[in-house]
Amino acid sequence: NCSGLFSGADGEGVTGAMLLSADADTANWISHGRTYSEQRYSPLDQVNRDTVGDLGLAWFADMDTARGQEATPLVLDGKLYLTTAWSKVKAFDAATGAKLWEYDPEVPGETAVKACCDVVNRGLATYGDKLFLGTLDGRLIALDRESGAVAWEKVTVDQSKSYTITGAPRVIDGKVIIGNGGAEFGVRGFVAAYDADDGEQLWKFYTVPEGGDPEDAPAYLQKAAETWNMDVLGSSDAIGGGGTVWDSMAYDPDLDLLYIGVGNGSPWNRAYRSPGKDGTGEGDNLYLSSIVAVRPSTGEYVWHYQTTPGETWDYTATQHIMLADMEIDGRPRKVLMQAPKNGFFYVIDRETGQFISAKPYVSVNWATGIDPKTGRPIENPQTRVDKTGKPALVTPGALGGHNWHPMAYSPTENLVYIPAFEAGMMYAPEADWKPDTARGFNVGFNLGAGDVPADEGFRKQVAGTLKGMLVAWDPVAQKPRWTVEHPGPWNGGLLATGGGLVFQGTTGSEFNAYDAANGKKLWSFAAQTGVVAPPVTYTVNGEQYVAVLAGWGGAYALSVDGDLIKRKAPVRNISRLLVFKLGGTAKLPPEPALADLPLDPPPSTAPAEIIAVGQAKYGRYCAVCHAPGAVGSTVLPDLRRAGSLESAQAWNAVVEGGALKDNGMASFAGSLSQEEIEAIRAYVIKRANEDKALEAAKKVARR
Ligand SMILES: O=C(O)c1cc(C(=O)O)c2c(n1)C(=O)C(=O)c1cc(C(=O)O)[nH]c1-2
Ligand SMILES: [Ca+2]
């Protein structure tokens, strides 16, 4: 029992040395990806291939938010700490589930309209006697780990802009490092470091240049400026460039390099963000969609590798960054691995940033491969929508082939487990695009273009193209060793263990254990809700636990047609921490019935011109949260079933008056006129009637 070594009994709490040796500290889980290498592999093996059949629920805890739950819990000395939707924090006794304390940063409800992809939070960092939390409204907060009391609080972003924080901070040598999101709205991305003791800002690293004259910018940004149209960049609040660092980081202590994953361009459509002489998109736009190595003590640039030069499809490189050492072509290599949204699995030399190899881990049509000499994609010109100006169906779509859901690595199998999926997207460049940084997506594409009509055959066909899978990827051979098919996209993050197991929750509302060697399903638990967060494992008094925060949500759950989601698997949000151990006998309460409100809209009487205005405005302002075509997202209210559809006044009280702002539905006054708000109601009524007719026809056909 080495817990004494790690218990911080000297009064210092969590030290830099403890974070460096987190791998040996199997009892605890003290950093987001368990170790700085972010492998999410625990050597614990009490729960293993032979014993996993006895795994049962030890305890559970219901959460007080019903939105996407994406957090990785931290565990230290028998206590478990987690974050929930709306950036709340809760502490539990890790063995009994007794609640120790909770903290609510009271993020204003209206902040939800600044978040592209649900009001999620992915977790905490710890150091000394503190926990560190990034909040949706852009604050970094230090909490006393024992009591949950606020030690210090710092606003890290310009809160007049649409910056949000959803990612987990990391701590390196007493510096708390955090980025932010907002590249669907117009912000300029950066990552910054703060002193763990008092929150003083120590450095700030911008990922894209500022626009205008770059002369006094640091050298790496001057170099980046050569890859942008610097007259257009920053010319309006909507063209901040993007490049947000909203999720992944990793650290190599030997090389003393911090790796950050950089996001998409803002706006997405490069023709508006960085036009060339002919008005179509031009330039690589560094450091968008790149992995950048930074010196963590100073924030100094060291190297970068750009996965998608001139990105225009929301192809972020913010996906999980994982470090490992392995032999490739007979040579030991220190590699960095990533499966970014663009569908290729990359193996990079993490000392130099040099490209080693890349192969597609899902279906890809935007590029035929990556040129090994240059490390650049060989593009399909038809999908270069910022050049053609024409719509194109592109795979992967804006949610990627893999999103934020963490991967895991097994050093014994030398496999990377990828929570992958397929969901293409129609990118239709928006002519005469005008930004609105106050509300709605600012991406330069018509987001209503891909709406699926109320036609059973069509809907079936589109649903058939959506796929979700667990891919066991061999990073040396650059191909899958095995694949498990799930009911649909958007399955949970992963954990691999020394017991030869891989744990994953699914869109099918299961929490499963698979054999790490061959993908055989060895154990399954009915979770009653879609699970998107990654599991962790730890021990208390020598007994191994596996914990996962269940609760459906995030970008796919909000922004994809709810009927298509439900055709793959019936799914809803029941937010709950589930904790398992061998012989656990706790039981969940019975699953509540899945019941939709009736689909009973008023008759559609508005003229076609009004409905057309409503459709355009809905696509721009409503679809990203309430789903395309108003086909009820699986987390937020289904507008086709809203009582307020009956009354222009009630509808307006919400959309203009902000009656539901505390729930996240901010007022859209200033962005939408009264006439437009009423036109949106007319559009939703029309959509509801179409879908009611479709349901009735399906019932008749079934008889
Ligand atoms: O560009 C950005 O700044 C940004 C931020 C976030 C975020 O912070 O959650 C997401 C994305 N982009 C994004 O593109 C995306 O697919 C996504 C999914 C999710 C999620 O939590 O489900 N967040 C985000
Ligand atoms: Ca994005």
Side-chain angles (χ1 to χ4, degrees):
N1 181 356
C2 51
S3 69
L5 189 63
F6 297 107
S7 66
D10 52 4
E12 272 187 282
V14 175
T15 61
M18 284 167 66
L19 287 168
L20 287 168
S21 58
D23 191 34
D25 178 12
T26 55
N28 296 318
W29 188 293
I30 58 172
S31 157
H32 188 62
R34 203 180 90 84
T35 59
Y36 280 137
S37 66
E38 306 261 335
Q39 290 182 358
R40 290 180 179 266
Y41 169 80
S42 165
L44 291 179
D45 61 1
Q46 203 175 82
V47 180
N48 59 42
R49 291 182 176 102
D50 298 328
T51 62
V52 70
D54 287 335
L55 198 61
L57 194 64
W59 57 272
F60 66 91
D62 287 320
M63 298 295 129
D64 57 356
T65 50
R67 301 286 293 261
Q69 307 295 353
E70 299 189 351
T72 299
L74 295 185
V75 180
L76 179 63
D77 293 341
K79 292 173 185 165
L80 184 150
Y81 308 92
L82 58 73
T83 61
T84 72
W86 293 110
S87 328
K88 297 187 191 187
V89 185
K90 297 182 193 301
F92 298 93
D93 180 305
T96 66
K99 194 184 279 173
L100 303 174
W101 54 259
E102 53 193 338
Y103 169 72
D104 180 357
E106 294 179 6
V107 170
E110 292 154 281
T111 313
V113 290
K114 295 183 174 185
C116 68
C117 309
D118 204 352
V119 294
V120 296
N121 187 282
R122 301 193 193 85
L124 300 159
T126 187
Y127 184 73
D129 58 1
K130 297 186 182 71
L131 293 168
F132 303 95
L133 163 75
T135 65
L136 197 69
D137 55 352
R139 290 172 285 161
L140 181 64
I141 299 178
L143 300 175
D144 179 80
R145 203 170 46 237
E146 275 314 300
S147 65
V150 174
W152 54 257
E153 175 171 336
K154 182 105 190 172
V155 175
T156 68
V157 299
D158 176 349
Q159 287 177 317
S160 73
K161 301 203 162 127
S162 288
Y163 282 106
T164 48
I165 299 179
T166 59
R170 312 293 201 278
V171 178
I172 300 172
D173 191 25
K175 296 177 182 66
V176 188
I177 297 161
I178 187 74
N180 43 61
E184 273 66 59
F185 303 94
V187 306
R188 179 182 179 211
F190 66 87
V191 57
Y194 301 85
D195 190 318
D197 285 336
D198 56 13
E200 189 199 341
Q201 185 185 301
L202 302 172
W203 53 258
K204 188 170 189 175
F205 180 93
Y206 280 103
T207 58
V208 300
E210 193 175 10
D213 189 350
E215 248 165 49
D216 49 6
Y220 81 96
L221 285 180
Q222 287 187 39
K223 193 174 136 208
E226 293 163 18
T227 68
W228 287 83
N229 180 329
M230 290 299 284
D231 297 331
V232 171
L233 182 63
S235 60
S236 94
D237 262 2
I239 306 178
T244 43
V245 184
W246 56 267
D247 194 53
S248 69
M249 292 184 243
Y251 175 57
D252 182 325
D254 295 331
L255 301 172
D256 193 28
L257 291 177
L258 163 70
Y259 307 100
I260 59 170
V262 183
N264 56 278
S266 191
W268 294 355
N269 190 336
R270 189 178 56 164
Y272 290 116
R273 185 179 76 227
S274 183
K277 282 199 184 68
D278 64 358
T280 70
E282 198 173 280
D284 285 354
N285 293 184
L286 290 171
Y287 297 91
L288 299 182
S289 303
S290 300
I291 295 156
V292 183
V294 175
R295 198 66 70 200
S297 46
T298 57
E300 198 187 334
Y301 164 93
V302 180
W303 59 252
H304 77 276
Y305 174 79
Q306 190 172 40
T307 60
T308 312
E311 102 73 29
T312 200
W313 308 273
D314 190 18
Y315 282 172
T316 61
T318 53
Q319 280 54 53
H320 187 170
I321 294 174
M322 182 189 277
L323 315 180
D325 296 347
M326 61 189 67
E327 198 176 291
I328 298 176
D329 293 333
R331 253 175 82 194
R333 300 293 295 257
K334 287 175 185 287
V335 307
L336 176 157
M337 298 179 286
Q338 191 188 49
K341 276 190 184 177
N342 77 14
F344 288 90
F345 187 92
Y346 291 83
V347 180
I348 308 280
D349 182 322
R350 72 171 179 270
E351 213 165 338
T352 61
Q354 192 189 41
F355 175 85
I356 296 175
S357 62
K359 281 284 185 290
Y361 62 91
V362 287
S363 309
V364 167
N365 80 349
W366 73 277
T368 54
I370 310 296
D371 180 337
K373 284 206 193 71
T374 60
R376 293 178 70 92
I378 305 153
E379 287 185 7
N380 168 1
Q382 275 158 11
T383 58
R384 241 307 154 196
V385 284
D386 60 313
K387 282 277 179 207
T388 65
K390 296 202 189 95
L393 182 61
V394 185
T395 53
L399 294 176
H402 165 225
N403 206 292
W404 61 271
H405 314 79
M407 310 187 294
Y409 175 69
S410 165
T412 53
E413 303 294 333
N414 197 28
L415 286 174
V416 179
Y417 304 97
I418 315 171
F421 58 93
E422 298 193 352
M425 174 166 158
M426 179 67 82
Y427 292 77
E430 190 166 327
D432 303 320
W433 171 70
K434 299 270 180 308
D436 173 1
T437 47
R439 295 282 183 267
F441 262 31
N442 279 293
V443 296
F445 290 104
N446 172 3
L447 294 173
D451 290 0
V452 184
D455 174 283
E456 180 58 19
F458 210 104
R459 294 198 145 267
K460 241 189 185 150
Q461 202 182 334
V462 175
T465 67
L466 300 173
K467 293 188 178 133
M469 51 268 180
L470 163 56
V471 180
W473 188 264
D474 178 338
V476 177
Q478 282 283 23
K479 59 179 193 203
R481 197 174 298 161
W482 51 260
T483 299
V484 171
E485 304 280 340
H486 291 315
W490 213 248
N491 299 283
L494 288 155
L495 164 70
T497 72
L501 300 173
V502 174
F503 287 91
Q504 185 183 30
T506 74
T507 182
S509 298
E510 290 181 344
F511 181 54
N512 296 335
Y514 302 91
D515 187 321
N518 56 32
K520 192 172 166 227
K521 197 202 271 189
L522 299 177
W523 174 84
S524 183
F525 178 84
Q528 303 185 352
T529 177
V531 181
V532 293
V536 299
T537 188
Y538 57 91
T539 62
V540 182
N541 297 326
E543 194 165 26
Q544 185 181 354
Y545 294 80
V546 176
V548 68
L549 182 57
W552 178 245
Y556 179 83
L558 265 56
S559 69
V560 171
D561 183 312
D563 170 66
L564 296 181
I565 296 176
K566 288 178 200 161
R567 276 169 195 258
K568 311 304 289 185
V571 68
R572 47 34 199 296
N573 178 295
I574 299 176
S575 290
R576 187 182 269 159
L577 177 67
L578 304 171
V579 181
F580 302 89
K581 65 174 182 178
L582 295 179
T585 56
K587 292 256 173 316
L588 292 182
E591 185 168 2
L594 245 186
D596 274 330
L597 293 168
L599 185 53
D600 196 15
S604 178
T605 55
E609 317 84 80
I610 302 276
I611 290 172
V613 170
Q615 174 170 17
K617 294 295 170 188
Y618 182 93
R620 175 74 182 265
Y621 289 99
C622 316
V624 290
C625 290
H626 288 284
V631 189
S633 94
T634 45
V635 177
L636 296 190
D638 180 343
L639 298 182
R640 297 168 308 167
R641 301 170 203 272
S644 54
L645 266 193
E646 300 279 350
S647 148
Q649 211 182 346
W651 183 263
N652 200 51
V654 175
V655 184
E656 195 193 52
L660 298 177
K661 68 178 163 45
D662 293 340
N663 299 352
M665 177 59 196
S667 159
F668 281 69
S671 291
L672 292 167
S673 68
Q674 287 261 322
E675 289 73 29
E676 289 166 344
I677 290 171
E678 183 53 15
I680 291 172
R681 189 174 73 98
Y683 167 67
V684 176
I685 289 174
K686 174 179 165 258
R687 286 291 309 104
N689 278 284
E690 287 174 350
D691 291 346
K692 188 180 171 184
L694 181 65
E695 277 186 11
K698 268 164 67 181
K699 271 195 196 123
V700 171
R702 230 178 277 140
R703 259 190 225 130

